[in-house]
Amino acid sequence: MASLLDLTSQGDVATITDDAYLNRTLQLMEPQQLYELWERQQWQSQAIDLERDKEQWAELSEEDKEEHLWGLSSFFVGEERVTTQFSGLVMAYEDEQEEAFLTTQQVDEARHMQFFDRWFREVAGIDGGIQERLAASRSDVTDAFVELFDERLVKMGERLIADPSDMDAKVAFITNYHMVIEGTLALTGQHFMLDYYETNDLLPGFAEGFANIARDEHRHVAYGTWFLQQKCAEDGYRECVQETLNDLLPLAAGVLVPKGYAIGDDYEFFGYTSQQQAEFAYSALSRRLKVIGVGLPTASAA
Ligand SMILES: [Fe+2]
Ligand SMILES: [Fe+2]
């Protein structure tokens, strides 16, 4: 019988192609297996060759540069947020295997942030330290981004730090972090941006690092799906997942809307329509929720 790793990318059920597998009895990869997968998938953010990126960047018009930076900035700042707001979840581990996996995820997020920082320094040429580069990138993020990452995520992390044994706080945090931020937002943007850069043979160093990041993100989301499937088999947690999604998905829908547009408008994101982007996000989230055993709140919210 095929293993989940044969059927999916990194155990993430959103990449499953046969809908017959998508139900609550699907046996997911456990933290120990995901930890071992991490050990086999190391990469170095400082070693990726960025020379062609520098050459190509120098040839781009100022307008093109601004468009690329707009898309990349949300990811750079997002990686900083998910790195520095993760400790509460590590504190909330329930056994040694889960603790081991969670520490790998925290290192991954730091590596992602480091990769973006290096790219913004060496290719985009933004001087100073990481804080200066993050501050420059912050001028590109939307109000919805600020509310989701600086307010909701931070508060949910603080709630977990105040009491790591608060299971409602852990379920809400993972619903936001793994289902909304990583699963619905990051992996959707990564899918279209990677396709764009690879198809156009543009910024190959960035694309190599970003593909490694996407591989890590699928592994992270696989953990979040496993955790929520376990908890939603018990009474009381399905409502918590549902309420958190109801609350946050409308906000998430506004995170990648370009300046001058509103949610529901038609616009293009790296050569794809906002409709294609929304459909991809919706289908990925609904596949994961089927396996977790929770209904999708509303189709329009994704
Ligand atoms: Fe990340
Ligand atoms: Fe992640």
Side-chain angles (χ1 to χ4, degrees):
M1 197 183 138
S3 75
L4 200 62
L5 209 45
D6 300 324
L7 293 168
T8 61
S9 173
Q10 305 285 93
D12 178 7
V13 297
T15 63
I16 239 166
T17 47
D18 185 347
D19 275 9
Y21 289 101
L22 295 172
N23 59 65
R24 287 176 66 182
T25 61
L26 183 67
Q27 178 75 41
L28 298 175
M29 290 175 75
E30 296 186 353
Q32 179 66 27
Q33 294 169 289
L34 293 168
Y35 169 81
E36 290 174 17
L37 187 59
W38 175 86
E39 277 202 353
R40 302 198 291 273
Q41 295 179 333
Q42 298 304 303
W43 60 283
Q44 295 179 52
S45 66
Q46 307 300 308
I48 287 174
D49 183 357
L50 297 179
E51 290 312 307
R52 277 194 63 212
D53 288 40
K54 289 180 203 167
E55 290 161 19
Q56 290 181 340
W57 192 254
E59 300 296 319
L60 291 177
S61 69
E62 287 307 310
E63 199 185 347
D64 282 348
K65 283 181 186 171
E66 261 181 45
E67 259 189 53
H68 291 291
L69 288 178
W70 182 84
L72 270 50
S73 290
S74 299
F75 281 86
F76 180 22
V77 182
E79 294 292 1
E80 182 276 331
R81 294 281 76 192
V82 298
T83 303
T84 55
Q85 307 307 312
F86 196 75
S87 296
L89 183 56
V90 179
M91 291 162 71
Y93 71 90
E94 288 166 71
D95 62 28
E96 286 73 7
Q97 291 94 330
E98 190 186 16
E99 197 270 354
F101 171 79
L102 289 171
T103 59
T104 70
Q105 180 168 350
Q106 193 163 32
V107 172
D108 283 343
E109 305 303 3
R111 180 157 31 201
H112 301 170
M113 174 182 73
Q114 288 277 344
F115 176 71
F116 273 96
D117 184 53
R118 179 174 166 235
W119 191 91
F120 273 79
R121 183 179 67 240
E122 293 187 17
V123 181
I126 302 173
D127 294 332
I130 186 166
Q131 291 196 341
E132 282 76 25
R133 278 181 289 281
L134 282 165
S137 289
R138 273 192 170 271
S139 62
D140 280 327
V141 304
T142 58
D143 291 345
F145 181 103
V146 170
E147 189 174 344
L148 184 62
F149 287 83
D150 290 344
E151 291 167 30
R152 304 303 186 90
L153 179 66
V154 170
K155 278 202 188 103
M156 288 166 122
E158 285 170 352
R159 188 177 160 208
L160 210 43
I161 289 167
D163 181 4
S165 69
D166 180 343
M167 197 52 71
D168 280 324
K170 186 175 175 186
V171 168
F173 184 88
I174 289 179
T175 303
N176 182 19
Y177 195 115
H178 294 74
M179 289 299 117
V180 176
I181 291 176
E182 294 183 318
T184 307
L185 283 175
L187 280 168
T188 300
Q190 281 161 5
H191 172 81
F192 292 109
M193 288 163 73
L194 264 177
D195 190 65
Y196 175 86
Y197 286 118
E198 284 168 359
T199 306
N200 293 291
D201 192 24
L202 194 61
L203 307 177
F206 175 75
E208 184 185 336
F210 209 41
N212 292 338
I213 288 172
R215 184 177 64 172
D216 291 340
E217 297 303 347
H218 279 297
R219 193 173 55 247
H220 302 165
V221 172
Y223 157 78
T225 310
W226 167 84
F227 172 82
L228 293 175
Q229 188 195 49
Q230 302 288 305
K231 293 301 162 192
C232 288
E234 300 169 25
D235 281 342
Y237 295 115
R238 270 195 292 278
E239 293 72 19
C240 178
V241 173
Q242 191 93 43
E243 280 166 20
T244 308
L245 290 173
N246 281 338
D247 189 29
L248 297 179
L249 284 174
L251 197 54
V255 167
L256 290 177
V257 175
K259 275 191 193 94
Y261 292 94
I263 298 170
D265 285 352
D266 288 328
Y267 57 85
E268 283 217 346
F269 180 82
F270 287 84
Y272 291 92
T273 64
S274 46
Q275 180 69 20
Q276 285 173 305
Q277 199 186 329
E279 278 168 11
F280 183 89
Y282 171 79
S283 129
L285 180 64
S286 60
R287 285 175 186 171
R288 296 185 188 111
L289 292 181
K290 267 188 197 160
V291 171
I292 291 167
V294 169
L296 194 70
T298 53
S300 61

